[in-house]
Amino acid sequence: MSRIGKQPILIPEGVKINIAADKIEFEGVKGKLTSPLLPGIKAKVEDNQLVIERTDETPKVRSFHGLNRTLAHNCCVGVSKGFEKKLEIIGVGYRAKLDKSQLELNIGYSKPVVYKVPEDIEIVVEKSTQIIVKGINKQRVGQEAYIIRSFRPLEPYKLKGIRYAGEKLIKKERKAGVVGV
């Protein structure tokens, strides 16, 4: 049996769950999310816990078990607490500014990069070098953080660019044969 799939999901206060034939709907203080119920998987609520079970033991259904439980857990956490990713901007003169629904990044190009913030995502600029991406859908938060990071990924020699908070990188040595640098 799947180690992850057999763990029950604790339902936080204020989260309502509606189980349909092919999906589980979650509604909480942050919003609404839907998790799919893949073929061969069923769900039920017992003692303020959501239990995900499989109907047969075929390899395909067994592989879906842990995935389905994780997707449901992410929805449950998303509608109650939400998710966030922190980004840091490193470099002389590199900074971010938020204007209404547009993130303006000055990251070493001749013109600033303007990024339109999606409606389901919230972006907060704490300092001019720290960006926080927030939302209720874990996949969407990670995707938008990745898109912002891809505008100027860290270069390996001086480690300038945009990185996730706490990301560990190894600085490369300069290239052999370079004189005067």
Side-chain angles (χ1 to χ4, degrees), residues 11-15 29 48 80:
I11 301 171
E13 291 279 329
V15 175
V29 293
N48 204 25
S80 61

Side-chain angles (χ1 to χ4, degrees), residues 54-105:
R54 55 182 181 235
T55 56
D56 57 39
E57 295 296 319
T58 61
K60 191 171 188 177
V61 172
R62 287 182 16 206
S63 68
F64 286 159
H65 192 196
L67 169 69
N68 228 109
R69 190 256 180 214
T70 302
L71 292 174
H73 181 260
N74 287 344
C75 288
C76 197
V77 171
V79 297
S80 61
K81 296 178 188 172
F83 294 99
E84 69 177 35
K85 285 262 188 187
K86 294 183 181 181
L87 298 167
E88 297 173 344
I89 302 174
I90 299 168
V92 177
Y94 289 11
R95 62 187 173 276
K97 184 173 66 171
L98 189 65
D99 290 330
K100 296 179 185 170
S101 66
Q102 290 188 336
L103 179 67
E104 187 176 302
L105 299 167

Side-chain angles (χ1 to χ4, degrees), residues 6-177:
K6 67 182 178 183
Q7 296 173 357
I9 301 168
L10 289 168
I11 301 171
E13 291 279 329
V15 175
K16 297 175 187 170
I17 296 178
N18 183 22
I19 300 172
D22 62 341
K23 62 184 175 181
I24 307 171
E25 296 173 347
F26 296 87
E27 185 176 348
V29 293
K30 298 260 185 187
K32 293 181 181 180
L33 283 177
T34 302
S35 174
L37 266 179
L38 300 171
I41 304 292
K42 63 180 182 175
K44 60 183 176 180
V45 177
E46 295 177 348
D47 302 329
N48 204 25
Q49 294 180 339
L50 180 65
V51 179
I52 307 291
E53 297 174 341
R54 55 182 181 235
T55 56
D56 57 39
E57 295 296 319
T58 61
K60 191 171 188 177
V61 172
R62 287 182 16 206
S63 68
F64 286 159
H65 192 196
L67 169 69
N68 228 109
R69 190 256 180 214
T70 302
L71 292 174
H73 181 260
N74 287 344
C75 288
C76 197
V77 171
V79 297
S80 61
K81 296 178 188 172
F83 294 99
E84 69 177 35
K85 285 262 188 187
K86 294 183 181 181
L87 298 167
E88 297 173 344
I89 302 174
I90 299 168
V92 177
Y94 289 11
R95 62 187 173 276
K97 184 173 66 171
L98 189 65
D99 290 330
K100 296 179 185 170
S101 66
Q102 290 188 336
L103 179 67
E104 187 176 302
L105 299 167
N106 292 313
I107 46 179
Y109 299 124
S110 60
K111 295 180 180 177
V113 176
V114 178
Y115 176 69
K116 188 175 182 314
V117 180
E119 291 181 13
D120 60 338
I121 297 294
E122 178 188 355
I123 292 184
V124 178
V125 178
E126 282 190 340
K127 299 178 186 174
S128 62
T129 59
Q130 289 183 341
I131 303 169
I132 299 176
V133 182
K134 297 180 181 181
I136 62 172
N137 189 333
K138 187 174 185 177
Q139 190 272 333
R140 290 279 297 139
V141 169
Q143 180 69 32
E144 297 306 318
Y146 174 78
I147 289 170
I148 293 170
R149 184 181 183 270
S150 69
F151 290 136
R152 180 64 91 165
L154 285 178
E155 58 94 15
Y157 297 105
K158 294 183 181 177
L159 298 181
K160 290 173 26 173
I162 303 173
R163 70 173 183 180
Y164 297 114
E167 182 179 5
K168 302 285 187 219
L169 291 163
I170 298 171
K171 189 174 183 179
K172 279 189 176 181
E173 292 290 323
R174 66 184 183 148
K175 294 181 180 176

